[in-house]
Amino acid sequence: MGASTSDDAGVYRIDRNRALVQTVDFFTPIVDDPFVYGQIAGANALSDVYAMGGRPLTAMNLMGIPTDVVPPKMINAIFRGGASKLKEAKCVLVGGHTIRNPEPVYGMAVTGLVSPRRLITNANAKPGDLLVLTKPLGTGVITTGIKRGLVSSGTIKKAIRCMCHLNAVGATLAERGLVCAGTDVTGFGLLGHLGSLCRASSVGAEIQAGQLPCISNEVKELIVNDCIPGGSRENLKTAAEFVEWSNAMDWQKVLLADAQTSGGLLLCVAPRHLNKVLKILKEARALCAVVIGQIVRSPKGKIRVQR
Ligand code: CO
Ligand code: CO
Ligand code: CO
């Protein structure tokens, strides 16, 4: 599997029972604390393996850093943050590469394993599947708000907890045969990633915007006060091509397009599996487990959003 279905990672079959899952992800700092930045970058890089139903095996660090400005202590803290997430994921760090760069960037290339019969992909969604989201939305709006000094410490804590959380439950659900279509929600926002999934599966979707979970009540307030990152605005423009807004409110549209960092899994769940899936999500301490809509017939991949 390559880029044709816009999946979260590349998949290469080794034999009947095993396939490699390969992905790479990095970004500029989104929080001040270097250790937390490392944790978020680690959780985010690992997520694309989990979003394919795989388990991460090995990882390599990628860093670009202005060594004349950032002290070695801080650089170490970033690496330690990333390593702490690898440890939690039982994934082994096998190397990496650092260059000097005017702006800090950090992330990882991660390799995992998956059974070719137990993959979660964009192309397997079926009409009638329920859409389950495992993390609340709003990291894009909140991190922009942090830069502008508009966010309370309570909300900052919640957003950090959310971005640091591993999406490992994706592998558990895939291994039990409960989910075979889905993705994680990251830079293209919920609608962007759902749009790719719908196109790859030749289906459409209906979203109940009122069901969308937010990291905090401040998210709506921030959006209403025009605290919206550029990436999320771009996502909203792109979404106009495949979304029917119906009676959705303006702030809900922004929330659905908000660029997430280390966001949750968006899973397509057959109704007969829903209770089991919700139970496993609860046991895995998923940050939320909410049905936000469903997959419908629509060969052109239209998404309808209702208030
Ligand atoms: Co992804
Ligand atoms: Co990615
Ligand atoms: Co080298």
Side-chain angles (χ1 to χ4, degrees):
M1 279 175 59
S4 63
T5 53
S6 306
D7 263 292
D8 296 291
V11 181
Y12 181 83
R13 189 166 66 198
I14 303 168
D15 56 31
R16 282 165 55 101
N17 301 316
R18 292 174 305 168
L20 284 180
V21 186
Q22 292 183 288
T23 178
V24 57
D25 233 309
F26 53 85
F27 44 72
T28 55
I30 48 161
V31 290
D32 287 335
D33 185 317
F35 183 79
V36 175
Y37 168 43
Q39 284 186 305
I40 295 169
N44 180 71
L46 289 161
S47 177
D48 278 328
V49 174
Y50 293 131
M52 302 300 290
R55 298 257 177 213
L57 286 179
T58 60
M60 299 218 229
N61 280 323
L62 298 162
M63 182 181 274
I65 201 93
T67 41
D68 46 340
V69 187
V70 180
K73 223 172 127 183
M74 227 178 234
I75 299 174
N76 281 334
I78 298 172
F79 283 135
R80 277 193 291 109
S84 76
K85 284 292 142 180
L86 293 180
K87 191 175 176 205
E88 188 183 334
K90 299 188 170 70
C91 179
V92 183
L93 183 70
V94 290
H97 189 77
T98 301
I99 61 162
R100 266 201 275 185
N101 199 54
E103 192 175 17
V105 289
Y106 174 61
M108 293 171 188
V110 184
T111 301
L113 265 188
V114 70
S115 161
R117 290 180 303 276
R118 292 290 192 231
L119 265 175
I120 297 176
T121 79
N122 272 345
N124 275 335
K126 307 273 184 307
D129 284 352
L130 299 164
L131 288 166
V132 176
L133 184 65
T134 70
K135 283 187 190 180
L137 300 170
T139 62
V141 168
I142 291 171
T143 49
T144 299
I146 292 173
K147 285 173 197 153
R148 297 185 193 172
L150 299 172
V151 184
S152 73
S153 62
T155 292
I156 295 174
K157 259 191 207 149
K158 281 184 196 164
I160 286 173
R161 179 166 167 252
C162 185
M163 292 186 284
C164 288
H165 194 90
L166 290 183
N167 283 330
V169 71
T172 310
L173 292 169
E175 285 158 5
R176 299 199 191 170
L178 294 169
V179 175
C180 61
T183 183
D184 60 357
V185 180
T186 51
F188 295 116
L190 191 145
L191 285 176
H193 292 282
L194 179 58
S196 297
L197 183 141
C198 286
R199 282 188 293 279
S201 296
S202 303
V203 296
E206 277 173 9
I207 299 285
Q208 273 79 50
Q211 301 297 318
L212 295 172
C214 278
I215 290 171
S216 116
N217 294 333
E218 283 170 54
V219 171
K220 178 183 174 183
E221 220 175 291
L222 288 164
I223 294 172
V224 170
N225 288 309
D226 214 35
C227 179
I228 304 166
S232 305
R233 284 185 205 278
E234 283 299 313
N235 290 342
L236 191 56
K237 266 190 218 158
T238 312
E241 292 161 25
F242 54 87
V243 174
E244 275 173 48
W245 289 114
S246 180
N247 58 353
M249 288 180 271
D250 284 342
W251 76 270
Q252 293 174 329
K253 297 178 189 177
V254 175
L255 184 66
L256 278 164
D258 189 36
Q260 303 298 287
T261 298
S262 189
L265 298 169
L266 181 61
L267 304 166
C268 301
V269 180
R272 68 180 191 285
H273 289 149
L274 182 68
N275 285 340
K276 263 191 194 162
V277 169
L278 294 180
K279 188 167 167 257
I280 289 169
L281 286 173
K282 202 175 163 192
E283 286 165 1
R285 298 178 184 278
L287 296 177
C288 67
V290 193
V291 178
I292 60 156
Q294 61 177 326
I295 298 293
V296 297
R297 263 174 226 291
S298 164
K300 283 182 185 162
K302 280 269 174 201
I303 299 173
R304 203 177 138 84
V305 179
Q306 278 168 323
R307 187 182 294 186

